[in-house]
mmCIF file of all heavy atoms in Angstrom:
data_model
loop_
_atom_site.group_PDB
_atom_site.id
_atom_site.type_symbol
_atom_site.label_atom_id
_atom_site.label_comp_id
_atom_site.label_asym_id
_atom_site.label_seq_id
_atom_site.Cartn_x
_atom_site.Cartn_y
_atom_site.Cartn_z
ATOM 1 N N PRO A 542 -1.817 -5.627 8.948
ATOM 2 C CA PRO A 542 -0.663 -6.433 9.196
ATOM 3 C C PRO A 542 -0.992 -7.869 9.747
ATOM 4 O O PRO A 542 -1.930 -8.156 10.470
ATOM 5 C CB PRO A 542 0.138 -5.709 10.200
ATOM 6 C CG PRO A 542 -0.977 -4.685 10.938
ATOM 7 C CD PRO A 542 -2.076 -4.633 9.982
ATOM 8 N N GLY A 543 0.017 -8.754 9.396
ATOM 9 C CA GLY A 543 -0.137 -10.180 9.787
ATOM 10 C C GLY A 543 1.038 -10.915 9.835
ATOM 11 O O GLY A 543 2.164 -10.410 9.986
ATOM 12 N N ARG A 544 0.924 -12.186 9.821
ATOM 13 C CA ARG A 544 2.100 -13.190 9.936
ATOM 14 C C ARG A 544 3.349 -12.755 9.131
ATOM 15 O O ARG A 544 4.424 -13.108 9.559
ATOM 16 C CB ARG A 544 1.574 -14.564 9.525
ATOM 17 C CG ARG A 544 1.546 -15.514 10.574
ATOM 18 C CD ARG A 544 0.948 -16.772 10.114
ATOM 19 N NE ARG A 544 2.030 -17.794 10.037
ATOM 20 C CZ ARG A 544 1.870 -18.975 9.593
ATOM 21 N NH1 ARG A 544 0.466 -19.466 9.144
ATOM 22 N NH2 ARG A 544 2.768 -19.764 9.530
ATOM 23 N N TYR A 545 3.028 -12.522 7.872
ATOM 24 C CA TYR A 545 4.294 -12.358 6.928
ATOM 25 C C TYR A 545 4.838 -10.934 6.749
ATOM 26 O O TYR A 545 5.743 -10.694 6.007
ATOM 27 C CB TYR A 545 3.975 -13.034 5.512
ATOM 28 C CG TYR A 545 3.661 -14.498 5.725
ATOM 29 C CD1 TYR A 545 2.275 -15.037 5.712
ATOM 30 C CD2 TYR A 545 4.720 -15.461 5.965
ATOM 31 C CE1 TYR A 545 2.004 -16.328 5.748
ATOM 32 C CE2 TYR A 545 4.402 -16.796 6.203
ATOM 33 C CZ TYR A 545 3.131 -17.260 6.019
ATOM 34 O OH TYR A 545 2.969 -18.604 6.132
ATOM 35 N N THR A 546 4.087 -10.029 7.394
ATOM 36 C CA THR A 546 4.417 -8.531 7.093
ATOM 37 C C THR A 546 5.835 -8.241 7.311
ATOM 38 O O THR A 546 6.466 -7.596 6.634
ATOM 39 C CB THR A 546 3.418 -7.778 7.943
ATOM 40 O OG1 THR A 546 2.032 -8.082 7.713
ATOM 41 C CG2 THR A 546 3.565 -6.158 7.567
ATOM 42 N N LYS A 547 6.339 -8.749 8.533
ATOM 43 C CA LYS A 547 7.729 -8.576 8.899
ATOM 44 C C LYS A 547 8.588 -8.950 7.756
ATOM 45 O O LYS A 547 9.673 -8.379 7.448
ATOM 46 C CB LYS A 547 8.121 -9.365 10.068
ATOM 47 C CG LYS A 547 8.995 -8.659 10.979
ATOM 48 C CD LYS A 547 9.312 -9.593 12.192
ATOM 49 C CE LYS A 547 8.694 -9.030 13.431
ATOM 50 N NZ LYS A 547 8.852 -9.883 14.692
ATOM 51 N N ARG A 548 8.448 -10.074 7.241
ATOM 52 C CA ARG A 548 9.128 -10.626 5.988
ATOM 53 C C ARG A 548 9.185 -9.735 4.887
ATOM 54 O O ARG A 548 10.093 -9.486 4.123
ATOM 55 C CB ARG A 548 8.746 -12.091 5.566
ATOM 56 C CG ARG A 548 9.762 -13.010 5.419
ATOM 57 C CD ARG A 548 9.244 -14.346 5.067
ATOM 58 N NE ARG A 548 9.693 -14.755 3.763
ATOM 59 C CZ ARG A 548 9.220 -15.810 3.078
ATOM 60 N NH1 ARG A 548 8.065 -16.448 3.557
ATOM 61 N NH2 ARG A 548 9.632 -16.019 1.854
ATOM 62 N N TYR A 549 7.932 -9.174 4.588
ATOM 63 C CA TYR A 549 7.890 -8.181 3.535
ATOM 64 C C TYR A 549 8.797 -6.977 3.688
ATOM 65 O O TYR A 549 9.427 -6.519 2.846
ATOM 66 C CB TYR A 549 6.447 -7.665 3.364
ATOM 67 C CG TYR A 549 5.485 -8.802 2.634
ATOM 68 C CD1 TYR A 549 5.095 -9.901 3.225
ATOM 69 C CD2 TYR A 549 5.078 -8.433 1.377
ATOM 70 C CE1 TYR A 549 4.373 -10.772 2.535
ATOM 71 C CE2 TYR A 549 4.241 -9.421 0.651
ATOM 72 C CZ TYR A 549 3.938 -10.591 1.230
ATOM 73 O OH TYR A 549 3.215 -11.424 0.685
ATOM 74 N N LEU A 550 8.617 -6.488 4.926
ATOM 75 C CA LEU A 550 9.393 -5.322 5.308
ATOM 76 C C LEU A 550 10.969 -5.575 5.068
ATOM 77 O O LEU A 550 11.714 -4.689 4.527
ATOM 78 C CB LEU A 550 9.117 -4.803 6.636
ATOM 79 C CG LEU A 550 7.830 -4.212 6.938
ATOM 80 C CD1 LEU A 550 7.522 -3.821 8.453
ATOM 81 C CD2 LEU A 550 7.664 -2.944 6.170
ATOM 82 N N LYS A 551 11.343 -6.822 5.474
ATOM 83 C CA LYS A 551 12.706 -7.149 5.312
ATOM 84 C C LYS A 551 13.252 -7.094 3.872
ATOM 85 O O LYS A 551 14.307 -6.634 3.444
ATOM 86 C CB LYS A 551 12.935 -8.429 5.913
ATOM 87 C CG LYS A 551 14.284 -8.768 6.424
ATOM 88 C CD LYS A 551 14.340 -10.079 7.290
ATOM 89 C CE LYS A 551 15.725 -10.629 7.125
ATOM 90 N NZ LYS A 551 15.831 -11.992 7.774
ATOM 91 N N ILE A 552 12.400 -7.692 3.055
ATOM 92 C CA ILE A 552 12.684 -7.752 1.496
ATOM 93 C C ILE A 552 12.792 -6.416 1.033
ATOM 94 O O ILE A 552 13.699 -6.105 0.260
ATOM 95 C CB ILE A 552 11.753 -8.716 0.813
ATOM 96 C CG1 ILE A 552 11.798 -10.162 1.261
ATOM 97 C CG2 ILE A 552 11.998 -8.639 -0.699
ATOM 98 C CD1 ILE A 552 10.642 -11.065 0.911
ATOM 99 N N LEU A 553 11.825 -5.562 1.403
ATOM 100 C CA LEU A 553 11.787 -4.067 0.799
ATOM 101 C C LEU A 553 12.961 -3.410 1.146
ATOM 102 O O LEU A 553 13.584 -2.585 0.446
ATOM 103 C CB LEU A 553 10.478 -3.511 1.332
ATOM 104 C CG LEU A 553 9.117 -3.963 0.724
ATOM 105 C CD1 LEU A 553 7.986 -3.533 1.511
ATOM 106 C CD2 LEU A 553 9.027 -3.401 -0.733
ATOM 107 N N ARG A 554 13.315 -3.592 2.459
ATOM 108 C CA ARG A 554 14.521 -2.923 3.057
ATOM 109 C C ARG A 554 15.718 -3.275 2.399
ATOM 110 O O ARG A 554 16.490 -2.442 2.034
ATOM 111 C CB ARG A 554 14.584 -3.252 4.534
ATOM 112 C CG ARG A 554 15.298 -2.248 5.403
ATOM 113 C CD ARG A 554 15.473 -2.657 6.830
ATOM 114 N NE ARG A 554 14.152 -2.938 7.393
ATOM 115 C CZ ARG A 554 13.884 -4.137 8.159
ATOM 116 N NH1 ARG A 554 14.794 -5.020 8.260
ATOM 117 N NH2 ARG A 554 12.676 -4.424 8.536
ATOM 118 N N ARG A 555 15.916 -4.590 2.047
ATOM 119 C CA ARG A 555 17.010 -5.111 1.314
ATOM 120 C C ARG A 555 17.134 -4.470 -0.088
ATOM 121 O O ARG A 555 18.284 -4.199 -0.611
ATOM 122 C CB ARG A 555 16.929 -6.493 1.231
ATOM 123 C CG ARG A 555 18.258 -7.194 0.950
ATOM 124 C CD ARG A 555 18.225 -8.663 1.368
ATOM 125 N NE ARG A 555 17.188 -9.294 0.408
ATOM 126 C CZ ARG A 555 16.434 -10.318 0.856
ATOM 127 N NH1 ARG A 555 16.416 -10.642 2.267
ATOM 128 N NH2 ARG A 555 15.598 -11.033 0.236
ATOM 129 N N HIS A 556 15.993 -4.109 -0.723
ATOM 130 C CA HIS A 556 15.990 -3.357 -2.019
ATOM 131 C C HIS A 556 15.992 -1.981 -1.898
ATOM 132 O O HIS A 556 15.892 -1.328 -2.989
ATOM 133 C CB HIS A 556 14.878 -3.983 -2.826
ATOM 134 C CG HIS A 556 15.027 -5.382 -3.297
ATOM 135 N ND1 HIS A 556 15.743 -5.728 -4.467
ATOM 136 C CD2 HIS A 556 14.643 -6.563 -2.726
ATOM 137 C CE1 HIS A 556 15.705 -6.954 -4.697
ATOM 138 N NE2 HIS A 556 15.102 -7.601 -3.718
ATOM 139 N N ASP A 557 15.969 -1.361 -0.620
ATOM 140 C CA ASP A 557 15.810 -0.121 -0.482
ATOM 141 C C ASP A 557 14.583 0.466 -1.344
ATOM 142 O O ASP A 557 14.590 1.481 -1.966
ATOM 143 C CB ASP A 557 16.948 0.770 -0.991
ATOM 144 C CG ASP A 557 17.241 1.915 -0.329
ATOM 145 O OD1 ASP A 557 16.675 2.138 0.662
ATOM 146 O OD2 ASP A 557 18.109 2.849 -0.891
ATOM 147 N N ALA A 558 13.480 -0.214 -1.199
ATOM 148 C CA ALA A 558 12.297 0.076 -1.969
ATOM 149 C C ALA A 558 11.133 0.406 -1.008
ATOM 150 O O ALA A 558 11.014 -0.149 0.119
ATOM 151 C CB ALA A 558 11.907 -1.147 -2.789
ATOM 152 N N VAL A 559 10.195 1.225 -1.426
ATOM 153 C CA VAL A 559 8.980 1.497 -0.556
ATOM 154 C C VAL A 559 7.695 0.955 -1.207
ATOM 155 O O VAL A 559 7.701 0.663 -2.550
ATOM 156 C CB VAL A 559 8.879 3.021 -0.469
ATOM 157 C CG1 VAL A 559 9.822 3.491 0.489
ATOM 158 C CG2 VAL A 559 8.672 3.772 -1.709
ATOM 159 N N ALA A 560 6.687 0.754 -0.481
ATOM 160 C CA ALA A 560 5.373 0.205 -0.845
ATOM 161 C C ALA A 560 4.226 0.868 -0.102
ATOM 162 O O ALA A 560 4.569 1.640 0.695
ATOM 163 C CB ALA A 560 5.430 -1.261 -0.655
ATOM 164 N N THR A 561 3.067 0.462 -0.463
ATOM 165 C CA THR A 561 1.817 1.030 0.286
ATOM 166 C C THR A 561 1.111 -0.243 0.967
ATOM 167 O O THR A 561 0.809 -1.144 0.243
ATOM 168 C CB THR A 561 0.932 1.695 -0.594
ATOM 169 O OG1 THR A 561 1.653 2.799 -1.201
ATOM 170 C CG2 THR A 561 -0.221 2.431 0.117
ATOM 171 N N PHE A 562 0.870 -0.063 2.316
ATOM 172 C CA PHE A 562 0.186 -1.203 2.977
ATOM 173 C C PHE A 562 -1.179 -0.736 3.242
ATOM 174 O O PHE A 562 -1.399 0.284 4.018
ATOM 175 C CB PHE A 562 0.991 -1.489 4.231
ATOM 176 C CG PHE A 562 2.265 -2.169 4.099
ATOM 177 C CD1 PHE A 562 3.428 -1.492 3.834
ATOM 178 C CD2 PHE A 562 2.330 -3.577 4.178
ATOM 179 C CE1 PHE A 562 4.630 -2.176 3.533
ATOM 180 C CE2 PHE A 562 3.492 -4.264 3.912
ATOM 181 C CZ PHE A 562 4.708 -3.508 3.742
ATOM 182 N N PHE A 563 -2.205 -1.442 2.782
ATOM 183 C CA PHE A 563 -3.623 -1.221 3.051
ATOM 184 C C PHE A 563 -3.989 -2.027 4.269
ATOM 185 O O PHE A 563 -4.230 -3.230 4.019
ATOM 186 C CB PHE A 563 -4.500 -1.340 1.817
ATOM 187 C CG PHE A 563 -4.362 -0.329 0.788
ATOM 188 C CD1 PHE A 563 -3.390 -0.503 -0.189
ATOM 189 C CD2 PHE A 563 -5.027 0.821 0.745
ATOM 190 C CE1 PHE A 563 -3.283 0.502 -1.288
ATOM 191 C CE2 PHE A 563 -4.880 1.759 -0.108
ATOM 192 C CZ PHE A 563 -4.035 1.610 -1.125
ATOM 193 N N VAL A 564 -3.894 -1.565 5.428
ATOM 194 C CA VAL A 564 -4.146 -2.303 6.596
ATOM 195 C C VAL A 564 -5.561 -2.411 7.073
ATOM 196 O O VAL A 564 -6.370 -1.512 6.757
ATOM 197 C CB VAL A 564 -3.182 -1.778 7.790
ATOM 198 C CG1 VAL A 564 -1.698 -1.832 7.242
ATOM 199 C CG2 VAL A 564 -3.610 -0.350 8.266
ATOM 200 N N ILE A 565 -5.787 -3.359 7.814
ATOM 201 C CA ILE A 565 -7.224 -3.617 8.387
ATOM 202 C C ILE A 565 -7.160 -2.867 9.761
ATOM 203 O O ILE A 565 -6.266 -3.355 10.592
ATOM 204 C CB ILE A 565 -7.726 -5.012 8.450
ATOM 205 C CG1 ILE A 565 -7.786 -5.490 7.032
ATOM 206 C CG2 ILE A 565 -8.876 -5.267 9.269
ATOM 207 C CD1 ILE A 565 -8.059 -7.003 6.902
ATOM 208 N N GLY A 566 -8.023 -2.055 9.943
ATOM 209 C CA GLY A 566 -7.901 -1.104 11.243
ATOM 210 C C GLY A 566 -7.798 -1.828 12.500
ATOM 211 O O GLY A 566 -7.073 -1.640 13.451
ATOM 212 N N SER A 567 -8.740 -2.972 12.592
ATOM 213 C CA SER A 567 -8.894 -3.713 13.830
ATOM 214 C C SER A 567 -7.594 -4.453 14.193
ATOM 215 O O SER A 567 -7.440 -5.035 15.274
ATOM 216 C CB SER A 567 -10.059 -4.629 13.763
ATOM 217 O OG SER A 567 -9.885 -5.584 12.688
ATOM 218 N N GLN A 568 -6.722 -4.689 13.102
ATOM 219 C CA GLN A 568 -5.478 -5.450 13.247
ATOM 220 C C GLN A 568 -4.311 -4.592 13.695
ATOM 221 O O GLN A 568 -3.257 -5.177 13.923
ATOM 222 C CB GLN A 568 -5.218 -6.272 12.020
ATOM 223 C CG GLN A 568 -6.102 -7.336 11.847
ATOM 224 C CD GLN A 568 -6.105 -8.060 10.469
ATOM 225 O OE1 GLN A 568 -6.936 -8.733 9.983
ATOM 226 N NE2 GLN A 568 -4.844 -8.017 9.745
ATOM 227 N N VAL A 569 -4.521 -3.248 13.687
ATOM 228 C CA VAL A 569 -3.323 -2.298 13.835
ATOM 229 C C VAL A 569 -2.862 -2.410 15.353
ATOM 230 O O VAL A 569 -1.636 -2.495 15.546
ATOM 231 C CB VAL A 569 -3.651 -0.859 13.516
ATOM 232 C CG1 VAL A 569 -2.642 0.051 13.951
ATOM 233 C CG2 VAL A 569 -3.829 -0.771 12.003
ATOM 234 N N SER A 570 -3.809 -2.345 16.326
ATOM 235 C CA SER A 570 -3.216 -2.334 17.651
ATOM 236 C C SER A 570 -2.463 -3.557 18.050
ATOM 237 O O SER A 570 -1.524 -3.407 18.878
ATOM 238 C CB SER A 570 -4.494 -2.268 18.654
ATOM 239 O OG SER A 570 -5.084 -1.033 18.472
ATOM 240 N N GLY A 571 -2.744 -4.732 17.470
ATOM 241 C CA GLY A 571 -2.008 -5.889 17.818
ATOM 242 C C GLY A 571 -0.642 -5.918 17.216
ATOM 243 O O GLY A 571 0.229 -6.783 17.478
ATOM 244 N N HIS A 572 -0.382 -4.993 16.235
ATOM 245 C CA HIS A 572 0.858 -4.907 15.601
ATOM 246 C C HIS A 572 1.510 -3.491 15.718
ATOM 247 O O HIS A 572 1.984 -3.050 14.627
ATOM 248 C CB HIS A 572 0.693 -5.463 14.083
ATOM 249 C CG HIS A 572 0.268 -6.849 14.079
ATOM 250 N ND1 HIS A 572 -1.076 -7.170 13.991
ATOM 251 C CD2 HIS A 572 0.931 -8.042 13.839
ATOM 252 C CE1 HIS A 572 -1.107 -8.468 13.756
ATOM 253 N NE2 HIS A 572 0.079 -8.890 13.759
ATOM 254 N N LYS A 573 1.284 -2.758 16.696
ATOM 255 C CA LYS A 573 1.781 -1.368 16.764
ATOM 256 C C LYS A 573 3.169 -1.174 16.396
ATOM 257 O O LYS A 573 3.564 -0.281 15.488
ATOM 258 C CB LYS A 573 1.556 -1.021 18.263
ATOM 259 C CG LYS A 573 0.288 -0.224 18.501
ATOM 260 C CD LYS A 573 0.213 0.461 19.725
ATOM 261 C CE LYS A 573 -1.071 0.476 20.366
ATOM 262 N NZ LYS A 573 -1.227 0.535 21.736
ATOM 263 N N SER A 574 4.169 -1.898 16.835
ATOM 264 C CA SER A 574 5.520 -1.611 16.617
ATOM 265 C C SER A 574 5.866 -1.939 15.112
ATOM 266 O O SER A 574 6.670 -1.058 14.464
ATOM 267 C CB SER A 574 6.511 -2.336 17.531
ATOM 268 O OG SER A 574 6.213 -3.708 17.368
ATOM 269 N N LEU A 575 5.252 -2.894 14.580
ATOM 270 C CA LEU A 575 5.348 -3.204 13.183
ATOM 271 C C LEU A 575 4.842 -2.145 12.340
ATOM 272 O O LEU A 575 5.485 -1.696 11.305
ATOM 273 C CB LEU A 575 4.626 -4.600 12.827
ATOM 274 C CG LEU A 575 4.886 -5.312 11.599
ATOM 275 C CD1 LEU A 575 6.349 -5.683 11.538
ATOM 276 C CD2 LEU A 575 4.017 -6.487 11.450
ATOM 277 N N VAL A 576 3.718 -1.534 12.726
ATOM 278 C CA VAL A 576 3.100 -0.526 11.851
ATOM 279 C C VAL A 576 3.944 0.835 12.008
ATOM 280 O O VAL A 576 4.173 1.532 10.988
ATOM 281 C CB VAL A 576 1.626 -0.196 12.251
ATOM 282 C CG1 VAL A 576 1.085 0.995 11.627
ATOM 283 C CG2 VAL A 576 0.807 -1.388 11.924
ATOM 284 N N LYS A 577 4.510 0.939 13.153
ATOM 285 C CA LYS A 577 5.364 2.276 13.428
ATOM 286 C C LYS A 577 6.605 2.125 12.452
ATOM 287 O O LYS A 577 7.069 3.055 11.907
ATOM 288 C CB LYS A 577 5.774 2.267 14.889
ATOM 289 C CG LYS A 577 4.781 3.033 15.685
ATOM 290 C CD LYS A 577 5.246 3.240 17.056
ATOM 291 C CE LYS A 577 4.140 4.009 17.852
ATOM 292 N NZ LYS A 577 4.252 3.825 19.154
ATOM 293 N N LYS A 578 7.059 0.925 12.466
ATOM 294 C CA LYS A 578 8.357 0.441 11.653
ATOM 295 C C LYS A 578 8.027 0.799 10.289
ATOM 296 O O LYS A 578 8.930 1.460 9.451
ATOM 297 C CB LYS A 578 8.760 -0.892 11.949
ATOM 298 C CG LYS A 578 10.145 -1.247 11.553
ATOM 299 C CD LYS A 578 10.418 -2.623 11.967
ATOM 300 C CE LYS A 578 12.013 -2.819 11.787
ATOM 301 N NZ LYS A 578 12.412 -4.154 12.139
ATOM 302 N N MET A 579 6.991 0.291 9.730
ATOM 303 C CA MET A 579 6.464 0.486 8.269
ATOM 304 C C MET A 579 6.537 2.063 7.991
ATOM 305 O O MET A 579 7.216 2.372 7.040
ATOM 306 C CB MET A 579 5.126 0.234 8.077
ATOM 307 C CG MET A 579 4.789 -1.154 7.674
ATOM 308 S SD MET A 579 2.791 -1.236 7.626
ATOM 309 C CE MET A 579 2.657 -2.985 7.804
ATOM 310 N N ALA A 580 5.983 2.877 8.864
ATOM 311 C CA ALA A 580 5.967 4.298 8.569
ATOM 312 C C ALA A 580 7.305 4.957 8.615
ATOM 313 O O ALA A 580 7.823 5.654 7.750
ATOM 314 C CB ALA A 580 5.062 4.930 9.627
ATOM 315 N N ALA A 581 8.040 4.388 9.638
ATOM 316 C CA ALA A 581 9.440 4.962 9.768
ATOM 317 C C ALA A 581 10.371 4.577 8.630
ATOM 318 O O ALA A 581 11.292 5.358 8.342
ATOM 319 C CB ALA A 581 10.164 4.522 11.026
ATOM 320 N N GLU A 582 10.035 3.539 7.878
ATOM 321 C CA GLU A 582 10.956 3.072 6.816
ATOM 322 C C GLU A 582 10.459 3.581 5.460
ATOM 323 O O GLU A 582 10.928 3.261 4.454
ATOM 324 C CB GLU A 582 10.962 1.554 6.746
ATOM 325 C CG GLU A 582 11.733 0.891 7.974
ATOM 326 C CD GLU A 582 12.016 -0.541 8.022
ATOM 327 O OE1 GLU A 582 11.319 -1.241 7.230
ATOM 328 O OE2 GLU A 582 12.775 -1.006 8.834
ATOM 329 N N GLY A 583 9.507 4.544 5.523
ATOM 330 C CA GLY A 583 9.038 5.338 4.340
ATOM 331 C C GLY A 583 7.925 4.805 3.607
ATOM 332 O O GLY A 583 7.605 5.260 2.571
ATOM 333 N N HIS A 584 7.294 3.663 4.210
ATOM 334 C CA HIS A 584 6.115 3.099 3.476
ATOM 335 C C HIS A 584 4.863 3.826 3.697
ATOM 336 O O HIS A 584 4.807 4.588 4.769
ATOM 337 C CB HIS A 584 5.885 1.647 3.841
ATOM 338 C CG HIS A 584 7.139 0.818 3.678
ATOM 339 N ND1 HIS A 584 7.651 0.504 2.459
ATOM 340 C CD2 HIS A 584 8.042 0.226 4.582
ATOM 341 C CE1 HIS A 584 8.746 -0.204 2.563
ATOM 342 N NE2 HIS A 584 8.998 -0.402 3.865
#
Side-chain angles (χ1 to χ4, degrees):
R544 244 179 108 179
Y545 297 104
T546 308
K547 213 182 253 176
R548 222 177 120 195
Y549 280 71
L550 288 177
K551 203 173 157 189
I552 297 168
L553 289 162
R554 204 179 309 129
R555 201 160 61 219
H556 286 271
D557 208 14
V559 292
T561 303
F562 289 85
F563 288 90
V564 300
I565 294 178
S567 61
Q568 290 172 198
V569 168
S570 288
H572 297 89
K573 264 189 211 155
S574 56
L575 195 58
V576 173
K577 277 189 182 158
K578 200 170 183 182
M579 267 179 203
E582 293 184 353
H584 305 296

